[in-house]
Each structure stands twice: as structure tokens, then as C-alpha cells.
Amino acid sequence: MKVTIPPYVHSYPAPVILIGCGTVDNPNIITCSWFGTVCSEPPMVSVSIRQSRHSFPLVKETGEFTANIPRVSDLEKVEFCGYKSGRSVNKFKELKLTPLSCPPLDSAPMIEECSLILACKVKHEIPLGSHNMFIAEVVAVHCEEDMVRRTKTAVPFPEEQLIYLDKRYWTPKLLK
Ligand SMILES: Cc1cc2nc3c(=O)[nH]c(=O)nc-3n(C[C@H](O)[C@H](O)[C@H](O)COP(=O)(O)O)c2cc1C
């Protein structure tokens, strides 16, 4: 027998992404898992950010962000960037990460230590309620050479991909 409970969205898996924003000289990182693929041609992704985050005006004003894909071994950094605010701490400095310019973006920094980075230019902003969704075109992909496939695409090593589900971290399992 089914029961009806209040509407709730936290029960599907979401990738854990380190969003780079601001500038190379004044950079910030926010951990986001309300992130998704929304279009393949042109390649587009979405990220939803609460208006209260320090990162929110940085993304809004520059119209840019970088989506840096962390690995399982980056979990501590993911949590640091997901619990500390750039208002009170320089996350790059604290975590000994390197902000690099991310061509062809003008402003948003990428994290050199991540092996796969999407350079994203915001095309639409949709206020949804608690979060505003930024829909952005992926204008370049920067990655380690060994991740590029013959098809000129790159995917994170699946066993290295972090997923957030039910307030816990998971990695995907190959089924087929
Ligand atoms: C796993 C995880 C996922 C998160 N996903 C989001 C998200 O999608 N959107 C958001 O606004 N905040 C998200 N947060 C919370 C922010 O990362 C957190 O509030 C952060 O401290 C904000 O940093 P800032 O103030 O420097 O922008 C997430 C936190 C964690 C730990």
C-alpha cells in the first residue's frame, strides 16, 4: 500500500561539482549537487544556487562559472567548500588549490588540481524559489590528456565520480 507524503526532491542522485566563480585574483568555490545536463547541442548544463550564497552574485555578475569535477579523494575539499563560505575564508588558499584562468572565459577561475573542467557561460537565469537556476553553455572542456576518448569527449572515471544522495556520498556502479 502506498502512502502520500509532502512533495520532496532530495531522493534522486545528483553529481557533486565544485563550481569555480569570481575572478582569478578573487576566486571562490561552492560545492553544488543541484547540477545537471540540460542540452547536448549546444552543450548546456544547469546549476541551482541559493540567493544567500556568497557565490550567487559572483555567478550572476560575471555570467560565468567553471564546473570542476572532483574525485573520490577530493571528498574533504568538497565538504570544506560545501560548509564554509567565501565570505569568511579564501577556499583556494585554505585548501592549497590553484585558481587558473579558464579560456575562453573572461573571469571565472578553474581549479588546476581537478582533471576535468567545463567552462560555462550563463545564458538564462530562472528564479525558482529557494534557488535560482543558471542555465549555461559549455564553451570549452579542459581535461587531462588521458581522459580524451577517440570521439573527442571526456568523461570522469565513473568509479571516481562523487554522487550525493540522501545526504550521503556515493559512487556509481556499472550495471551493463
Ligand atoms: C554535497 C553538497 C551539495 C551542495 N549543493 C548545493 C547546491 O546545489 N546549491 C547551493 O546553493 N548550495 C549547495 N550546497 C551548499 C553550499 O555549497 C554551501 O552553502 C557553501 O558554503 C556556500 O559557499 P559560498 O557562501 O562561498 O558560496 C551544497 C553543499 C554540499 C555539502
Side-chain angles (χ1 to χ4, degrees):
M1 190 186 141
K2 292 189 178 59
V3 295
T4 304
I5 60 171
Y8 183 65
V9 292
H10 290 73
S11 53
Y12 53 82
V16 176
I17 308 289
L18 294 172
I19 299 290
C21 53
T23 64
V24 172
D25 294 332
N26 196 10
N28 194 36
I29 308 170
I30 173 174
T31 299
C32 283
S33 55
W34 287 172
F35 180 93
T37 302
V38 293
C39 186
S40 44
E41 286 171 28
M44 295 184 97
V45 293
S46 73
V47 64
S48 291
I49 302 181
R50 272 187 191 266
Q51 296 92 329
S52 58
R53 309 293 188 222
H54 179 64
S55 303
F56 180 79
L58 303 182
V59 172
K60 198 176 169 80
E61 282 157 24
T62 60
E64 295 181 349
F65 61 87
T66 62
N68 305 263
I69 319 295
R71 292 175 177 238
V72 168
S73 55
D74 295 321
L75 190 50
E76 251 179 62
K77 296 181 178 82
V78 160
E79 294 215 285
F80 189 88
C81 295
Y83 291 112
K84 300 274 183 194
S85 175
R87 269 186 208 100
S88 49
V89 67
N90 181 327
K91 300 185 204 182
F92 273 93
K93 272 208 179 119
E94 286 292 321
L95 295 172
K96 297 191 170 55
L97 295 172
T98 318
L100 277 189
S101 80
C102 184
L105 301 184
D106 296 319
S107 174
M110 63 178 172
I111 304 172
E112 184 181 14
E113 289 75 8
C114 286
S115 44
L116 177 58
I117 299 115
L118 314 180
C120 302
K121 266 194 190 288
V122 175
K123 297 290 171 183
H124 309 278
E125 180 185 348
I126 308 175
L128 296 172
S130 60
H131 293 63
N132 283 22
M133 177 188 270
F134 294 98
I135 299 179
E137 182 170 346
V138 178
V139 290
V141 176
H142 303 290
C143 66
E144 299 297 334
E145 238 174 312
D146 63 350
M147 295 178 86
V148 182
R149 298 171 163 197
R150 259 181 300 154
T151 51
K152 290 275 186 257
T153 57
V155 288
F157 299 111
E159 68 282 6
E160 289 288 341
Q161 175 77 59
L162 278 168
I163 283 173
Y164 195 54
L165 169 66
D166 198 21
K167 299 194 173 145
R168 287 187 289 173
Y169 299 92
W170 307 75
T171 53
K173 187 174 158 193
L174 181 65
L175 276 184
K176 201 172 165 194

